[in-house]
């Protein structure tokens, strides 16, 4: 559906009507604005909002509240939904701040230690510290990537969008098709151009399968941003813990073997299971500064490391390795069954109760004539002969129970 807004006489500003396509799941803000421009046959998202300088802004990182409020007023999308279409809506989970001044490299990357002891190769860690002031975890260099299978399954080019998470380096695969995300250039709602295909060619990019460990890691990453938590072997952890833990493992698998001492055998095993050779630049360049193919290899090694720790295939020397290690079996004493009282109730002895009742009745009959008469009448009911009656009277005499009126 396309529509061209009317303009007032003498006014060269374009005043769009409130026709906005619904945002797709995970779509970035700039992608949604570009598709909205297609509705009005516009070429610049700045024409959607007059009075705001949005052309010079990186809206996918941070969008000011007045702009979000104005966009929400023009369309049927709440401000909260629009904010989640930017990286600012993922703070402080994915990153501490969208401003590099508010993100400290050492605090984010080295507050945990998983594979290696925390005090190992501190000098090597400083070699990978960013030298510029524009570092942000996972998003320093955002680039468009997409799943070839997902694009082929779209009904029309109008459905082409850019997903915000696929622009970051924390995700490397498509969970629906379990294949690698491929770099591309996207014109939302219009066309997509793959970097691996010659421009103008009709060739399709073949999907490249990824290991199960990478799929599981990306599943947890996606769950962290949609639910706020991740299930690990010991239990549930907050999304912020997961992203910082994962960034720590990414840095640890990038450590040169010559600086890891006896832990080098673990790193060798990890890269062997991942099926990659470690890119040389990982020793001196932070993860966010690597090329896309290099980042994919490092993420594959990190996924292999997490899986091997969880399965108990390798032991980790970090102080926080327990976040991934399976909890050891701890037998629990079943204890005793609960009772109504603190002390266990004794077994009931019916004959003992009868004997105690008889003793109580005899004791009462010795001092109380009424009780003696009641006890005598009770025993007399069982007498059938005069002899049995005499034996009952003798029983009273033997126990010292006086009878005021001897029986006749």
């Amino acid at each position: 559906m396309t529509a061209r807004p009317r303009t007032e006489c003498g006014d060269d500003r374009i005043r769009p009507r409130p026709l906005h396509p619904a945002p797709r799941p995970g779509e970035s803000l700039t992608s949604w604005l570009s598709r909205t421009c297609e509705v009005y046959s516009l070429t610049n998202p700045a024409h959607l909002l007059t009075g705001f300088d949005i052309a010079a802004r990186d809206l996918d990182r941070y969008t000011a509240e007045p702009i979000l409020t104005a966009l929400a007023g023009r369309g049927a999308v709440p401000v909260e939904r629009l904010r989640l279409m930017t990286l600012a809506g993922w703070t402080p989970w994915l990153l501490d701040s969208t401003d590099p001044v508010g993100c400290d490299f050492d605090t984010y990357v080295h507050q945990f230690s998983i594979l290696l002891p925390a005090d190992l190769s501190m000098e090597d860690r400083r070699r990978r510290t960013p030298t510029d002031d524009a570092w942000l975890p996972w998003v320093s260099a955002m680039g468009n990537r997409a799943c070839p299978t997902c694009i082929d399954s779209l009904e029309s080019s109008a459905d082409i969008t850019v997903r915000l998470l696929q622009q970051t380096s924390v995700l490397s695969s498509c969970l629906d098709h379990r294949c690698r995300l491929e770099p591309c250039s996207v014109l939302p709602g219009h066309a997509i151009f793959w970097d691996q295909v010659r421009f103008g060619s009709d060739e399709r990019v073949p999907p490249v399968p990824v290991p199960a460990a990478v799929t599981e890691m990306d599943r947890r990453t996606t769950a962290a941003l949609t639910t706020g938590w991740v299930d690990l072997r010991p239990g549930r952890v907050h999304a912020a813990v997961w992203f910082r833990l994962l960034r720590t493992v990414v840095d640890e698998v990038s450590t040169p073997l010559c600086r890891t001492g006896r832990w080098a055998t673990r790193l060798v095993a990890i890269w062997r299971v991942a099926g990659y050779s470690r890119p040389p630049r990982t020793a001196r360049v932070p993860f966010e500064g690597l090329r896309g193919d290099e980042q994919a290899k490092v993420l594959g090694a990190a996924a292999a490391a997490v899986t091997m720790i969880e399965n108990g295939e390798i032991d980790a020397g970090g102080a926080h390795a327990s976040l991934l290690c399976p909890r050891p079996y701890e037998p629990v004493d079943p204890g005793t069954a609960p009772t109504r009282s603190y002390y266990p109730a004794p077994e009931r002895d019916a004959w003992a109760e009868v004997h105690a009742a008889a003793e109580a009745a005899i004791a009462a009959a010795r001092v109380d004539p009424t009780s003696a008469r009641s006890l005598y009448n009770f025993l007399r009911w069982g007498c059938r002969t005069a002899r049995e009656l005499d034996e009952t009277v003798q029983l009273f005499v033997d126990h010292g129970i006086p009878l005021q009126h001897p029986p006749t």
Side-chain angles (χ1 to χ4, degrees), residues 213-362:
V214 174
T215 302
E216 174 63 16
M217 184 178 68
D218 288 344
R219 183 195 65 79
R220 288 172 169 175
T221 295
T222 305
L225 289 176
T226 54
T227 64
W229 47 265
V230 175
D231 276 328
L232 300 180
R233 289 295 180 88
R236 179 173 295 181
V237 300
H238 192 272
V241 175
W242 165 252
F243 289 118
R244 287 151 182 81
L245 177 152
L246 182 59
R247 186 58 180 83
T248 297
V249 177
V250 164
D251 188 74
E252 289 176 333
V253 297
S254 302
T255 307
L257 300 180
C258 62
R259 299 186 179 275
T260 57
R262 65 185 183 90
W263 302 99
T265 56
R266 280 76 168 177
L267 295 184
V268 171
I270 289 171
W271 282 97
R272 183 186 301 114
V273 171
Y276 305 116
S277 58
R278 180 167 44 190
R281 295 205 314 149
T282 58
R284 62 183 186 277
V285 178
F287 172 78
E288 290 76 13
L290 299 175
R291 299 190 306 268
D293 58 331
E294 295 173 330
Q295 290 180 345
K297 292 179 180 180
V298 174
L299 286 176
V306 171
T307 302
M308 294 174 72
I309 294 175
E310 290 183 329
N311 295 338
E313 298 176 17
I314 60 173
D315 57 330
H320 305 92
S322 58
L323 292 172
L324 296 177
C325 296
R327 184 173 298 173
Y329 173 73
E330 298 179 356
V332 178
D333 184 4
T336 56
T339 58
R340 292 181 177 271
S341 61
Y342 180 78
Y343 297 100
E347 296 183 2
R348 183 179 179 182
D349 189 348
W351 287 111
E353 294 178 1
V354 171
H355 180 73
E359 292 292 339
I362 293 173

Side-chain angles (χ1 to χ4, degrees), residues 43 53 69 76 82 123 160 178 208 211 235 248 252 302 307 319 328 407:
T43 58
D53 183 17
T69 303
L82 294 175
E123 180 181 354
I160 296 177
R178 298 185 177 183
V208 179
T248 297
E252 289 176 333
T307 302

Side-chain angles (χ1 to χ4, degrees), residues 72-393:
R74 294 293 180 90
V77 183
V79 173
E80 293 76 12
R81 177 68 177 85
L82 294 175
R83 188 181 298 109
L84 289 176
M85 298 166 68
T86 69
L87 292 178
W90 293 351
T91 58
W93 292 3
L94 180 63
L95 65 168
D96 297 328
S97 173
T98 56
D99 186 358
V101 177
C103 285
D104 180 70
F105 178 83
D106 191 65
T107 300
Y108 191 98
V109 178
H110 298 148
Q111 62 177 303
F112 292 113
S113 60
I114 306 298
L115 289 171
L116 307 176
D119 57 348
L120 185 65
S121 302
M122 293 301 296
E123 180 181 354
D124 179 72
R125 290 182 175 182
R126 285 191 289 269
R127 292 188 181 189
R128 288 188 295 277
T129 302
T131 56
D132 56 11
D133 297 330
W135 179 86
L136 287 174
W138 308 113
V139 296
S140 290
M142 298 179 65
N144 290 331
R145 294 178 301 160
C147 170
T149 306
C150 289
I151 298 300
D152 291 342
S153 62
L154 296 179
E155 297 181 358
S156 66
S157 60
D159 297 329
I160 296 177
T161 61
V162 175
R163 295 189 180 184
L164 182 60
L165 187 58
Q166 291 181 351
Q167 296 186 72
T168 68
S169 58
V170 72
L171 197 71
S172 61
S173 68
C174 172
L175 296 181
D176 295 332
H177 302 102
R178 298 185 177 183
C179 63
R180 188 180 63 191
L181 297 176
E182 300 296 341
C184 58
S185 299
V186 182
L187 298 178
H190 186 69
I192 185 170
F193 305 98
W194 303 103
D195 292 358
Q196 299 180 13
V197 178
R198 181 171 51 86
F199 183 78
S201 174
D202 294 334
E203 297 181 23
R204 294 185 177 183
V205 176
V208 179
V210 297
V214 174
T215 302
E216 174 63 16
M217 184 178 68
D218 288 344
R219 183 195 65 79
R220 288 172 169 175
T221 295
T222 305
L225 289 176
T226 54
T227 64
W229 47 265
V230 175
D231 276 328
L232 300 180
R233 289 295 180 88
R236 179 173 295 181
V237 300
H238 192 272
V241 175
W242 165 252
F243 289 118
R244 287 151 182 81
L245 177 152
L246 182 59
R247 186 58 180 83
T248 297
V249 177
V250 164
D251 188 74
E252 289 176 333
V253 297
S254 302
T255 307
L257 300 180
C258 62
R259 299 186 179 275
T260 57
R262 65 185 183 90
W263 302 99
T265 56
R266 280 76 168 177
L267 295 184
V268 171
I270 289 171
W271 282 97
R272 183 186 301 114
V273 171
Y276 305 116
S277 58
R278 180 167 44 190
R281 295 205 314 149
T282 58
R284 62 183 186 277
V285 178
F287 172 78
E288 290 76 13
L290 299 175
R291 299 190 306 268
D293 58 331
E294 295 173 330
Q295 290 180 345
K297 292 179 180 180
V298 174
L299 286 176
V306 171
T307 302
M308 294 174 72
I309 294 175
E310 290 183 329
N311 295 338
E313 298 176 17
I314 60 173
D315 57 330
H320 305 92
S322 58
L323 292 172
L324 296 177
C325 296
R327 184 173 298 173
Y329 173 73
E330 298 179 356
V332 178
D333 184 4
T336 56
T339 58
R340 292 181 177 271
S341 61
Y342 180 78
Y343 297 100
E347 296 183 2
R348 183 179 179 182
D349 189 348
W351 287 111
E353 294 178 1
V354 171
H355 180 73
E359 292 292 339
I362 293 173
R366 288 173 179 164
V367 297
D368 183 16
T370 304
S371 299
R373 185 166 52 253
S374 298
L375 180 61
Y376 176 78
N377 292 334
F378 173 76
L379 296 177
R380 192 179 62 174
W381 288 342
C383 298
R384 296 294 183 267
T385 62
R387 181 179 177 181
E388 292 176 350
L389 187 59
D390 292 341
E391 292 178 351
T392 301
V393 174

Side-chain angles (χ1 to χ4, degrees), residues 12-53:
D12 57 354
R13 293 180 304 174
I14 298 179
R15 300 178 181 274
R17 297 175 181 177
L19 298 177
H20 297 79
R24 301 296 174 83
E27 186 177 10
S28 66
L29 183 61
T30 56
S31 174
W32 177 71
L33 290 177
S34 298
R35 292 196 301 116
T36 304
C37 287
E38 288 288 327
V39 175
Y40 296 103
S41 300
L42 302 176
T43 58
N44 193 337
H47 295 157
L48 295 174
L49 289 174
T50 57
F52 292 96
D53 183 17

